[in-house]
Structure formats: structure tokens, C-alpha cells
Amino acid sequence: MSSIRKPGLSVNRQRLIYLPLGGAGEIGMNAYVYGYGEPNKERFILVDLGITFPDMDSTPGVNLILPDLAWLEERADRLEAIFISHAHEDHVGALPLLWEDLRAPVYARPFVAEIARRKFEEYSVAQEGLRTTEIWPHQIEAGPFTVSFIPLSHSVPESSSLSIQTPAGHVIHTGDFKLDSSPVVGDAFDEQLWQQVSADGVQALVCDSTNVFVTRSGRSEGKLSPAIEELIQSSKGVVVATTFASNIARLKTLADAGTRAGRSICLLGRAMRRMIEAAKETGILSNFPTVISPSEAALIPRENLMLLVTGSQGEPRAVSAQLSVGRYKNIDLVAGDLFLFSSKTIPGNEKAVLKIINNLSRKGVAVIDDSSDRFHVSGHANQPDLERIHTIVDPKIVIPMHGERRHLEQHVTMCREGGREAIVAANGMMIDLTNEVPKVAETVPSGRMYFDGDVLIPARDGVVRDRIRMALNGLVAVSVVQTKSSKPVFRCSVVIRGLWQGENGFVMKVALETELNKSIGRLSGQVLHDDEELEEAIRRCVRKETVNLIGKRPEVSVIITRIA
């Protein structure tokens, strides 16, 4: 007897899923999970494992911010491999800090692998899982996945998209990319290669969305050199240029232009020197101009010197910030010098960059920023380039990634207007890609981890929240000592931080201690013998008195010592 299949049901319960745990709805902290298999039994791969950077407003004192991978760590026995698309911090920076919780093989191209190796060394983590791989058509078998690296251009060498073959169809994960036929360093966009990779059909294109609002076509890195050289030639003093340390092509463009203008080139900043070293060691950079040391640079006539420095995003410890306020390695800037920001300011960094610009302006240094659009090109595909890659790949489904929520929404709108299925996938949103129309399968926990000092702490633990509250409200620490006598006697002393304490520094302290000792004397015996109730009474007293004195409600820490 033949079996009857109910409409809409599939005998095959295997599914293909996409799950961002970082990087969707934000720019940074990229971590994308793909899974295939029966629900709750899928085998996984992870694409990228990056960080984002803290700021003093929302994450004071934090070193780095990483994706919370608790959901994946609980299923680490089903994780087949990790693939790193390129060497930017927001794609590889979390690898040494989180790898030991995952312990899956890590695949990357040679330059990316070299950057990852250095990061493992920096954090004293074993490199046993790191594996260097080749580009398409080379294939890597990882459980039910067959993965190939597809070369393309971005603002760091050896960037790749990933071709992910599964039993449920072919997925292409673009990573960060632009369509550049003359990138100076790295891989030029090869349309014929992309047509070949996509020839058998693509179920889903998971695609960069960063520049979806930019309606003009992107410019090539190779077009920048004439304008930069003209600018350098026009300067009579020292020329300083800053860009992302990982933008090897830009550093070469700047250095070549400076050399042609008759200037000696000096690299300042550890991150920049490390990137150039890694590029040379892996063979992707063989003709970078000769550079001089900082001690040599200090002796060269100003009109013959060009500095390439770190700190394009206003980082307070980087060279740009230090030069803006004083000397660095016996080099200083004066009126008549030129400072070029050959970079785009990442949203959120505007205040830090503007501070450097203002400091330089006070010195009389001429500042050229990214607003002119003559001395910088983006590493991300603009809207016409996104439309072009959609046409070449011709996927059934497009999933926007790598962008804030507004970028993802706009990318979905663009796809639907072009007749393609698309869906917004936020962090923690598991998308089923198995059928013609993508759908939300479930939502899983996602969030952030803080690398704070030498420890990783979940954002939900509240450590940084407490730090912010202390910064906003100040802190009063109260020590209460119960002395030994026939009748218990309590004495209070306070330490105050972050609050005005009066002209001589003791008015607030004396007032609080006096009021606390009076208040405790009025408490009932039951409260005095219960630590929790006594602590709460002291907090209320301190906050009430500080509101009366200065209008602030501080954080209050209470330590009770009872002498038997």
C-alpha cells in the first residue's frame, strides 16, 4: 500500500540554519553560525569571531567587547570548524580569547592565519587548532559542509567570501567586500570566478550591508594615488597620514606617494609595524618603500619627512593622539605641518577624532579629514555594487549582515524591490534557509562579554553597570564597628569618592559621620542585630543626607564589623 504524504510536510527533517551571534544589527563583533541536520542535532560551523571596542560612556574601563557564545559553547561537541574571512579585529580579534571554549579547527588564508597566530601568542594560547588553507577550488570538508575561500577585495589583504556547500543547498557568505579591479595590494574582484562559483545555483547569499545607503558606485584603491601625491607635494612641513593599521594597500599608496614626493617614510605605531611585517612575511607585500627609524626621522629636514601613524579612530594611546598634544619619539608637529586622515571615522568615534583635530588645529597644523572623499575609499560595497553581486550570484534568498539595524532593513527593501526573498536576522535569531522562503526557526540567547583586565565577564553580570553608576553618582563607603561593652556601641566612619566634600575636604565626611552615629542610636535592637536591615538603614541615611547637602544620591557600600 502506498504511503500518503500530507501537503506541506517533508519526509526529510534535515534543515539548514543561519544564526548570527554577533555582527547583525551592529558593526563589529562578528560571529555567524551555520548548521545542518535534524533540529537540535545539527552540526555547526562558525564564520568569524571578532570583537568590538568599548567607549567611556557605556563601557568605561573595559578592554574589549566580545560576543557571548554560551549557546554555542554548550554545543561545542557539534562544532566542526571555524572559518576566518579576513584579518580585521571585528572578525578575528576574539579568536584567542574564546577558542579554548570551542576547540574547533580554525581555517584561514596565510596572511589571516599569521595575524591569528600572533594573537594566540599575545594571549599565550596554544595554536594547535590553527590551519592555513588555499583559495577556491580548494575545498575543506567539515561534517556536512564543504567550504571554499573565494578571494575578493576589501581594506585588508587576503579577504575572502566563503562558498558553503550543504545537502540543502549552496550558501555564499560574502564577508566584508568591495568590487575593486585595482586594489594595489590583495585580490582584485574576478567576476568570471564568481560566475563559476555560483553556476550550480545558490540557495542563500549572506551579504555585507555596511554601505547600502551609498548610491554611487565604489571607487578603486588604485585611483587615490594622484590626489595624495599632489597633496604631499603642496606641503612645506612634515606630512603625517593616519589610516587603519590593517589597510596595507592604503599604507603602500601613502608610502609610494610620499617617496615620489621626495620624502623619507617613517612608520609609527606598533600595530602598523606588525601588519607590515606580517604582510612581508606571508609574501603579499614585496615592494614597500624603505622606512627609517624614529631616531633617524627626528634628524631629517621637515620638508623631507612623512610619517605614517596609528590612531585614525581617535584612540587615546595611539600615535595620532600623542602627536596632537606633544612629542612622540622626539618628533613634534608645528604650524605649517600637514595631517591627513586617510580613513573613514567609524560611527561612535566622532568625538575622539574631533578632539585630535582640534588639538592639531591649536598647533597650527593643517588637517585634512575624510569629508573631502579624495583621499580615502571605503572597503565596503556601495548599493550599485551590492546589486551587481546579487545579479552575478542570483541567489534564491538574501540575508543582510554586517550593519546596524537600519542597514539590514534597507538591504531587505532593496532585495524585495528587485524581486528577491530577504529577511532581517538580528543577533540570536535562527533563520531556516531550507526552503524557498526564509523563516525564523527560533530565537536563542545572545549578548556580549567584556574582557575586563584579565578576565571575561558576561555583560549581564552588572559589573560595568555598577562602574557607570559609581561614575555618575559617586561612592560613599561606610565602615561600622560594634565595640565590645555591656551595651553595644556602634561607631561609623566614611570614605567619600567622586563627590564634592566641602572647601576643606571634610565638611561632607563630618556631616555624614555625625548623622550616621545619631541615626544608628535611634534604631531598634532588632535592626541593630540584623546585618541586612542595618546595612539598608545606613544606605537610606547616607542617601538622604547627601541629597540634603549636595543633591546627589551616591552608591553606598557598607562594611559591618562586630567585635565579640
Side-chain angles (χ1 to χ4, degrees):
M1 188 173 75
S2 62
S3 61
I4 299 175
R5 183 181 300 173
K6 294 182 179 181
L9 294 183
S10 173
V11 172
N12 183 5
R13 295 183 65 248
Q14 312 285 320
R15 66 178 182 179
L16 171 63
I17 61 170
Y18 161 76
L19 171 63
L21 293 176
E26 61 191 347
I27 296 177
M29 207 177 70
N30 295 276
Y32 306 98
V33 177
Y34 290 90
Y36 179 79
E38 293 184 19
N40 301 315
K41 295 181 180 179
E42 296 96 345
R43 308 299 295 182
F44 303 114
I45 59 172
L46 175 64
V47 176
D48 292 335
L49 192 49
I51 61 171
T52 193
F53 293 99
D55 61 74
M56 285 303 294
D57 292 333
S58 62
T59 48
V62 170
N63 300 74
L64 301 170
I65 303 174
L66 303 83
D68 188 339
L69 300 186
W71 183 90
L72 184 60
E73 289 167 9
E74 292 171 1
R75 298 158 178 81
D77 60 324
R78 291 192 265 147
L79 179 63
E80 300 284 354
I82 302 169
F83 297 88
I84 305 298
S85 65
H86 64 281
H88 276 155
E89 290 290 326
D90 61 331
H91 293 259
V92 71
L95 187 59
L97 295 169
L98 297 178
W99 182 81
E100 290 185 319
D101 294 322
L102 301 173
R103 304 196 71 83
V106 179
Y107 293 92
R109 293 176 65 186
F111 174 75
V112 187
E114 175 63 18
I115 297 301
R117 182 188 65 77
R118 291 171 179 237
K119 290 185 176 297
F120 277 114
E121 288 181 351
E122 180 181 352
Y123 290 98
S124 301
V125 175
Q127 303 168 33
E128 61 206 59
L130 189 57
R131 303 178 184 181
T132 302
T133 190
E134 301 173 14
I135 60 172
W136 196 90
H138 178 74
Q139 295 180 331
I140 300 157
E141 301 294 335
F145 304 94
T146 302
V147 181
S148 296
F149 284 77
I150 314 170
L152 81 175
S153 47
H154 182 42
S155 55
V156 62
E158 286 193 357
S159 296
S160 301
S161 295
L162 295 173
S163 165
I164 306 171
Q165 295 279 3
T166 80
H170 185 190
V171 177
I172 293 181
H173 182 103
T174 67
D176 297 3
F177 78 100
K178 64 180 295 186
L179 306 185
D180 192 338
S181 58
S182 54
V184 179
V185 175
D187 302 294
F189 177 66
D190 185 343
E191 182 170 340
Q192 185 175 6
L193 172 63
W194 275 75
Q195 290 172 341
Q196 187 177 356
V197 171
S198 307
D200 292 335
V202 174
Q203 176 70 9
L205 176 70
V206 181
C207 190
D208 183 3
S209 306
T210 311
N211 281 356
V212 69
F213 287 105
V214 183
T215 56
R216 65 181 182 278
S217 294
R219 291 196 301 147
S220 170
E221 181 71 31
K223 302 294 184 182
L224 288 180
S225 186
I228 290 175
E229 187 171 346
E230 180 183 352
L231 179 69
I232 296 171
Q233 291 277 15
S234 69
S235 179
K236 304 303 181 184
V238 174
V239 173
V240 186
T242 185
T243 190
F244 295 98
S246 58
N247 195 339
I248 305 297
R250 184 67 45 78
L251 291 173
K252 178 169 168 51
T253 297
L254 290 164
D256 285 344
T259 300
R260 287 194 295 270
R263 293 177 181 264
S264 297
I265 308 301
C266 180
L267 292 175
L268 295 178
R270 184 175 60 177
M272 195 168 280
R273 293 196 305 272
R274 284 180 172 180
M275 281 289 177
I276 294 294
E277 289 170 3
K280 289 180 177 179
E281 287 177 11
T282 54
I284 61 175
L285 185 64
S286 57
N287 55 349
F288 195 82
T290 301
V291 298
I292 61 174
S293 69
S295 58
E296 292 171 319
L299 302 175
I300 286 184
R302 305 185 72 81
E303 66 272 16
N304 298 129
L305 179 62
M306 182 174 181
L307 309 176
L308 301 181
V309 306
T310 54
S312 67
Q313 299 306 303
E315 300 93 325
R317 298 180 182 177
V319 179
S320 294
Q322 295 191 52
L323 283 173
S324 75
V325 295
R327 285 191 166 200
Y328 181 84
K329 302 285 188 181
N330 289 323
I331 300 171
D332 57 2
L333 301 183
V334 300
D337 292 335
L338 174 71
F339 196 105
L340 169 64
F341 282 88
S342 185
S343 56
K344 181 179 180 180
T345 302
I346 296 172
N349 294 339
E350 295 89 350
K351 287 172 62 177
V353 171
L354 187 59
K355 182 177 180 180
I356 291 176
I357 291 174
N358 284 328
N359 288 339
L360 291 168
S361 296
R362 290 187 189 98
K363 288 186 166 195
V365 176
V367 180
I368 308 294
D369 63 16
D370 66 345
S371 59
S372 69
D373 203 33
R374 292 186 64 210
F375 311 106
H376 172 69
V377 293
S378 175
H380 297 272
N382 295 349
Q383 188 180 119
D385 304 314
L386 292 174
E387 291 172 344
R388 183 179 171 196
I389 205 73
H390 292 174
T391 300
I392 294 169
V393 175
D394 194 22
K396 295 178 182 176
I397 298 167
V398 176
I399 309 293
M401 59 132 187
H402 200 284
E404 298 169 353
R405 181 72 185 215
R406 63 192 180 97
H407 297 97
L408 306 186
E409 295 279 2
Q410 178 64 22
H411 200 162
V412 164
T413 299
M414 186 182 82
C415 291
R416 289 175 177 169
E417 288 175 350
R420 300 186 189 280
E421 290 289 345
I423 190 172
V424 171
N427 290 336
M429 188 180 292
M430 183 186 293
I431 306 297
D432 189 334
L433 300 176
T434 313
N435 300 307
E436 299 289 323
V437 178
K439 65 179 182 179
V440 179
E442 59 181 286
T443 301
V444 309
S446 64
R448 296 181 163 209
M449 300 281 289
Y450 297 140
F451 187 57
D452 191 54
D454 291 325
V455 297
L456 276 172
I457 55 175
R460 61 181 178 273
D461 280 9
V463 172
V464 173
R465 181 183 65 243
D466 290 345
R467 190 176 296 165
I468 293 170
R469 288 164 63 178
M470 286 188 285
L472 293 173
N473 303 320
L475 172 68
V476 176
V478 182
S479 174
V480 183
V481 179
Q482 175 194 331
T483 60
K484 182 179 181 182
S485 77
S486 57
K487 180 181 179 181
V489 177
F490 291 83
R491 288 289 181 265
C492 298
S493 62
V494 302
V495 175
I496 302 169
R497 293 290 182 267
L499 294 169
W500 186 77
Q501 300 184 53
E503 292 182 3
N504 61 8
F506 290 101
V507 174
M508 173 77 80
K509 175 180 172 66
V510 172
L512 285 179
E513 289 177 349
T514 300
E515 184 59 31
L516 278 167
N517 286 314
K518 287 181 182 179
S519 178
I520 288 176
R522 296 191 292 264
L523 295 174
S524 68
Q526 179 181 345
V527 173
L528 292 174
H529 287 89
D530 186 309
D531 283 0
E532 289 187 6
E533 290 193 29
L534 181 55
E535 284 184 22
E536 185 56 34
I538 290 169
R539 287 193 183 93
R540 287 198 303 267
C541 177
V542 169
R543 286 174 177 155
K544 180 179 178 181
E545 188 66 13
T546 53
V547 167
N548 290 337
L549 291 169
I550 59 172
K552 296 286 289 185
R553 290 175 57 83
E555 299 302 301
V556 181
S557 175
V558 181
I559 300 174
I560 299 172
T561 303
R562 300 184 186 272
I563 301 176

